[in-house]
Amino acid sequence: MKRILYFLAIVTLVSCDYFDKKKVYTEDILEEQLQTFTWNDVDEYPTFEFCENTSGKENKKVCFENTLRRILNKNLAKYQIIVSEEINDTVQLKITIDNKGEFFINDIKSAQTTKEQIPQLDSLLRQSLDSLPKIYPAIKRSQHVKTQFVLPVIIKIE
């Protein structure tokens, strides 16, 4: 009988952990879900003010990307780049727009020959995108979120 009582006492003490409920805080869940999203995961893409009138999610994305390319081309056209051999490369700009609408270039990937022919290309690309108009961040579940994407830029110099 004593053995049974000891056994029940031990089982009762050990089993208390099974009844322990863990608290789940909504802030923790929200923070976890508001981590970096890719293009396909957001409800609304980042946009410029003049792209706001564009209807449709995909159209806003196209407007945003085209505006970035247009600004980049306009600013790069100011520089006279001289090369010793023809360059035809697609440079990949890895871009982040945070939840406040701040624009960052995380990484620039290009071919080795492009880097050798235009060593200042990274700084030229960064300078060309320094003075962007106000960017409205992406929206996911009515919250402003950080997004990352890759913007391909074609460099063709003859």
Side-chain angles (χ1 to χ4, degrees), residues 28-38 145-147:
D28 294 339
I29 294 172
L30 180 64
E31 186 63 34
E32 184 179 309
Q33 290 183 355
L34 291 181
Q35 296 301 318
T36 303
F37 289 97
T38 59
V145 294
K146 177 170 88 171
T147 51

Side-chain angles (χ1 to χ4, degrees), residues 62-85:
V62 170
C63 178
F64 182 78
E65 288 179 342
N66 287 342
T67 302
L68 278 178
R69 283 191 186 96
R70 192 170 40 253
I71 291 169
L72 189 62
N73 288 338
K74 178 183 166 194
N75 290 336
L76 283 177
K78 296 176 186 175
Y79 303 103
Q80 187 171 16
I81 301 171
I82 301 171
V83 294
S84 59
E85 56 186 75

Side-chain angles (χ1 to χ4, degrees), residues 36-55:
T36 303
F37 289 97
T38 59
W39 274 121
N40 298 328
D41 292 339
V42 295
D43 297 333
E44 252 185 75
Y45 295 126
T47 186
F48 294 107
E49 186 173 6
F50 46 85
C51 292
E52 282 287 311
N53 297 332
T54 309
S55 63

Side-chain angles (χ1 to χ4, degrees), residues 2-127:
K2 280 186 176 182
R3 287 184 182 167
I4 294 174
L5 287 175
Y6 284 129
F7 178 72
L8 288 176
I10 291 173
V11 169
T12 304
L13 291 174
V14 173
S15 68
C16 289
D17 289 342
Y18 294 113
F19 299 111
D20 214 13
K21 292 186 179 180
K22 300 202 191 282
K23 282 192 172 184
V24 179
Y25 296 100
T26 56
E27 293 85 16
D28 294 339
I29 294 172
L30 180 64
E31 186 63 34
E32 184 179 309
Q33 290 183 355
L34 291 181
Q35 296 301 318
T36 303
F37 289 97
T38 59
W39 274 121
N40 298 328
D41 292 339
V42 295
D43 297 333
E44 252 185 75
Y45 295 126
T47 186
F48 294 107
E49 186 173 6
F50 46 85
C51 292
E52 282 287 311
N53 297 332
T54 309
S55 63
K57 183 178 172 180
E58 279 301 313
N59 291 340
K60 283 187 179 185
K61 177 184 175 187
V62 170
C63 178
F64 182 78
E65 288 179 342
N66 287 342
T67 302
L68 278 178
R69 283 191 186 96
R70 192 170 40 253
I71 291 169
L72 189 62
N73 288 338
K74 178 183 166 194
N75 290 336
L76 283 177
K78 296 176 186 175
Y79 303 103
Q80 187 171 16
I81 301 171
I82 301 171
V83 294
S84 59
E85 56 186 75
E86 184 178 311
I87 294 180
N88 190 2
D89 186 18
T90 301
V91 177
Q92 304 289 328
L93 298 178
K94 186 175 181 184
I95 295 172
T96 298
I97 299 171
D98 70 9
N99 61 346
K100 295 178 181 93
E102 297 292 323
F103 179 91
F104 305 98
I105 297 177
N106 299 349
D107 192 23
I108 300 173
K109 292 186 180 182
S110 60
Q112 188 61 36
T113 55
T114 304
K115 289 178 185 177
E116 291 168 359
Q117 291 291 315
I118 314 170
Q120 73 277 21
L121 181 63
D122 286 12
S123 62
L124 291 176
L125 290 170
R126 290 179 194 277
Q127 287 173 2

